[in-house]
Amino acid sequence: MTRRIVVVSAGLGQPSSSRLLGDRLAAAAARALRAEGEQVEVDVVELRELAVDLANQLVTGFPGARLAAVLDRVAAADAVVAVTPVFNASYSGLFKMFVDALSVGSLDGVPVLLGATGGSARHSLVLEHALRPLFAYLRATTTSTGVFAATEDWGSPGELDTRVDRAGRELAVLVAGLARPAAVDPYDVSAVSARFSALSA
Amino acid sequence: MQFGIFTVGDVTTDPTTGRTPSEAERIKAMVTIAQKAEEVGLDVFATGEHHNRPFVPSSPTTMLGYIAAKTSRLLLSTSTTLITTNDPVKIAEDYAMLQYLADGRVDLMMGRGNTGPVYPWFGKDARDGIALAVENYALLRRLWTEDVVDWTGEFRTPLQGFTSTPRPLDGVPPFVWHGSIRSPEIAEQAAYYGDGFFANHIFWPTHHFQRLVGFYRDRFAFHGHGTRDQAIVGLGGQAFIRPKSQDAVREFRPYFDSAPVYGHGPALEDFMRETPLTVGSPQEVIERTMTFREHFGDYQRQLFLADHAGLPLKTVLEQLDLLGEHVVPVLRREMDALRPAHVPDAPTHASRVLAAQSPAPTAQLTTAGRAA
């Protein structure tokens, strides 16, 4: 069975350190899963390319075709690696716009590994005070380790590698151990008619 | 097949002139638009109901009663009547009264309303939206079909030996459509009662509404009102028409770009590709509308949104001329030619009176009838 890991990167630069971190986190999780005999596909979503689609969805209330296809890919993932740069002490607006576009329940029980990048290690708690509560609201299952990469980390890869490996293994454990709850279908006939009958009674 | 227009009654500044019509102007313009709809040969005029600015039509039956007096053939409808925040007793009485004044040229479309703050202004809670729609409509049907009603429910005071007055014209209440943008429960409600289902079909992509209409058709058959393709489906649509396609695009673009519902967002071309909005020549509007039939099956009512986003009255009336002269006659002919004999027309007062007199319980669904 092939496990699909979707990396969502809100990085804006070219090249982007958020994308770089996302790739490494996904690779670490894939390594750990392959070691257990699983097949793994990694699928990367660069939110930068969806910036206009996300703004349009805010105005019109529905996602355009390209954004809708990406939302479907995320909702169908076995695991998500979500990485954002830190802007003014929190996740970036682009990152939040994407999270706001996800339909209700689409990350229910999905294993998620959180990552963030910033200029200084002093921002590292963003993972805990901003990203983790957001994903708790989404009812995602987050790994206990999130990975923050400051500029200085890219110069001392040993330490960053250790954290990336640990987080990747945690994600692999969640993916291997968790059965994904069935997504709620709003058009499920028996559920709709039961709700209607209950209200008519 | 019935063709017509539906209005939301927004007061919007014309972005090309900076001019905002007064409420008086907008209300009178809506009446003029309805009269024009009859004049150019359309079948239906439907008005929205709103209780918040920038919308003016808070009182559909007042407006439709006035239009009834000014017209002789036009079917008068709503888009939508708020089944959640209006008292079903008042709806039963208002629309029965309108039936008499309009000689039966009345149907209505139920909707929940989409603005949370409106509910508490009428003593209701938006979180009860679906529950209100279900309970209130069940009561409304009883008030129309039973002379004396004893009733207790959750959302209004009980009724003891109550008779709604006047009784529906000829003992037949107006046909009801249920409008919804995203609630399968409302599609279920329409199917359960064998009522019509109207997919607003504007602003959102077609595939979204295909799911709702498909659900309604399945459930219509399940509840024993006929086959899937005999279900009564209405669709919205928006068009801006000029004899030449490039004129239509050039003229409509500033309205699109600043419209409250999609302005400052997607490009006109992208929005036309992803939603049913058609800006172009009569032939383009005809071709696009014919695809609705391919997407949703044979259907009974097509309403166009023609008067929004600050378009001046003169332009709206020109739209109706083009619709009446070049678009609707072709659509009517082509849609009618393609529709199999067992697929019914939209019910009218005349066809419903006939059905009520006939012993067969499903007669209304197979009786052809168009607004005389």
Side-chain angles (χ1 to χ4, degrees):
Chain A
M1 170 173 171
T2 302
R3 307 288 192 162
R4 278 189 57 252
I5 301 173
V6 176
V7 177
V8 175
S9 167
L12 294 170
Q14 293 280 17
S16 147
S17 56
S18 289
R19 167 69 195 268
L20 190 58
L21 179 61
D23 286 345
R24 295 183 64 176
L25 290 169
R31 268 198 308 279
L33 282 165
R34 288 187 183 117
E36 298 297 319
E38 302 265 15
Q39 292 183 314
V40 183
E41 258 177 34
V42 176
D43 173 12
V44 180
V45 174
E46 291 259 24
L47 298 187
R48 184 182 204 282
E49 295 163 8
L50 295 167
V52 172
D53 307 68
L54 285 164
N56 286 345
Q57 114 105 25
L58 283 183
V59 172
T60 61
F62 67 86
R66 183 166 69 158
L67 176 57
V70 171
L71 293 171
D72 287 346
R73 273 156 62 197
V74 171
D78 294 300
V80 171
V81 174
V83 187
T84 177
V86 175
F87 283 11
N88 283 353
S90 188
Y91 38 72
S92 78
L94 182 65
F95 184 81
K96 183 59 162 53
M97 278 164 73
F98 183 77
V99 167
D100 291 348
L102 291 167
S103 53
V104 175
S106 61
L107 287 186
D108 270 12
V110 176
V112 173
L113 168 50
L114 300 171
T117 57
S120 148
R122 285 188 292 276
H123 291 304
S124 61
L125 280 173
V126 150
L127 286 170
E128 308 307 324
H129 70 60
L131 281 150
R132 205 178 289 282
L134 178 62
F135 282 80
Y137 171 81
L138 298 171
R139 289 194 291 269
T141 305
T142 49
T143 58
S144 22
T145 303
V147 177
F148 184 88
T151 307
E152 67 226 39
D153 286 311
W154 300 106
S156 52
E159 274 182 48
L160 183 59
D161 284 348
T162 308
R163 300 206 303 277
V164 165
D165 279 339
R166 183 168 67 234
R169 279 197 309 275
E170 287 175 9
L171 188 68
V173 167
L174 292 178
V175 171
L178 285 183
R180 189 68 210 273
V184 177
D185 177 6
Y187 288 84
D188 179 80
V189 170
S190 54
V192 171
S193 74
R195 282 198 295 275
F196 177 74
S197 303
L199 291 169
S200 304
Chain B
M1 177 133 172
Q2 297 171 343
F3 292 89
I5 50 173
F6 64 147
T7 174
V8 284
D10 58 316
V11 176
T12 301
T13 302
D14 183 334
T16 66
T17 60
R19 194 174 173 283
T20 309
S22 68
E23 289 183 327
E25 269 178 86
R26 188 67 175 98
I27 289 166
K28 289 296 176 80
M30 289 170 72
V31 172
T32 305
I33 288 165
Q35 288 177 268
K36 182 76 170 182
E38 173 163 293
E39 183 193 317
V40 303
L42 302 187
D43 305 307
V44 185
F45 171 81
T47 173
E49 175 186 338
H50 297 277
H51 301 276
N52 47 339
R53 292 183 125 187
F55 305 103
V56 285
S58 57
S59 181
T61 57
T62 307
M63 171 168 280
L64 295 180
Y66 183 79
I67 293 171
K70 299 249 172 195
T71 54
S72 58
R73 193 190 53 80
L74 193 64
L75 250 168
L76 308 173
S77 190
T78 56
S79 57
T80 57
T81 293
L82 302 182
I83 186 63
T84 48
T85 49
N86 284 309
D87 182 356
V89 172
K90 196 70 170 84
I91 295 179
E93 297 192 334
D94 279 349
Y95 286 88
M97 176 67 85
L98 182 61
Q99 275 192 308
Y100 283 91
L101 295 172
D103 299 312
R105 291 184 286 130
V106 174
D107 58 41
L108 66 164
M109 193 199 303
M110 298 299 172
R112 283 185 292 137
N114 58 8
T115 315
V118 174
Y119 283 75
W121 298 335
F122 293 89
K124 301 291 190 288
D125 185 330
R127 290 168 295 184
D128 297 326
I130 297 271
L132 282 161
V134 172
E135 178 178 302
N136 284 349
Y137 184 61
L139 172 57
L140 173 62
R141 282 181 68 90
R142 287 192 58 196
L143 293 168
W144 273 341
T145 54
E146 298 172 28
D147 283 339
V148 182
V149 172
D150 291 334
W151 179 87
T152 311
E154 193 183 335
F155 294 112
R156 85 177 300 291
T157 49
L159 297 170
Q160 285 297 324
F162 176 74
T163 298
S164 140
T165 174
R167 303 304 301 141
L169 177 65
D170 303 319
V172 172
F175 183 69
V176 170
W177 302 80
H178 299 264
S180 180
I181 297 179
R182 69 188 102 201
S183 305
E185 289 86 352
I186 299 302
E188 171 73 10
Q189 179 179 41
Y192 176 81
Y193 290 111
D195 294 340
F197 182 74
F198 188 89
N200 113 321
H201 197 223
I202 55 175
F203 309 141
W204 284 46
T206 292
H207 62 77
H208 171 86
F209 293 108
Q210 280 177 298
R211 245 189 129 178
L212 269 175
V213 170
F215 186 91
Y216 161 69
R217 287 190 184 278
D218 288 344
R219 300 300 291 168
F220 182 91
F222 172 85
H223 288 296
H225 301 292
T227 55
R228 281 184 97 256
D229 55 357
Q230 289 175 322
I232 308 295
V233 172
L235 295 176
Q238 3 154 216
F240 187 84
I241 321 167
R242 286 299 182 203
K244 284 189 198 157
S245 182
Q246 55 271 42
D247 293 340
V249 170
R250 193 183 60 244
E251 192 179 340
F252 189 63
R253 190 184 301 282
Y255 295 94
F256 177 87
D257 283 348
S258 60
V261 278
Y262 33 58
H264 313 291
L268 177 60
E269 286 73 11
D270 293 340
F271 204 76
M272 283 205 281
R273 196 181 57 247
E274 294 206 354
T275 79
L277 170 65
T278 313
V279 180
S281 66
Q283 188 54 35
E284 285 169 311
V285 176
I286 289 165
E287 282 166 18
R288 189 72 187 277
T289 308
M290 289 307 294
T291 68
F292 297 175
R293 181 186 163 278
E294 288 162 29
H295 294 141
F296 294 93
D298 286 294
Y299 62 109
Q300 282 78 8
R301 174 177 284 188
Q302 174 66 52
L303 300 183
F304 291 102
L305 175 64
D307 70 328
H308 75 313
L311 290 167
L313 177 59
K314 176 172 175 291
T315 305
V316 175
L317 298 179
E318 287 163 3
Q319 295 300 302
L320 296 186
D321 276 328
L322 289 161
L323 268 180
E325 190 172 342
H326 298 293
V327 175
V328 166
V330 180
L331 285 176
R332 205 190 284 289
R333 193 171 62 237
E334 298 203 0
M335 294 274 194
D336 284 351
L338 289 165
R339 189 175 57 248
H342 70 280
V343 174
D345 271 333
T348 61
H349 185 72
S351 76
R352 284 165 62 76
V353 168
L354 211 63
Q357 291 161 354
S358 140
T362 55
Q364 79 166 63
L365 300 165
T366 51
T367 304
R370 191 193 297 290

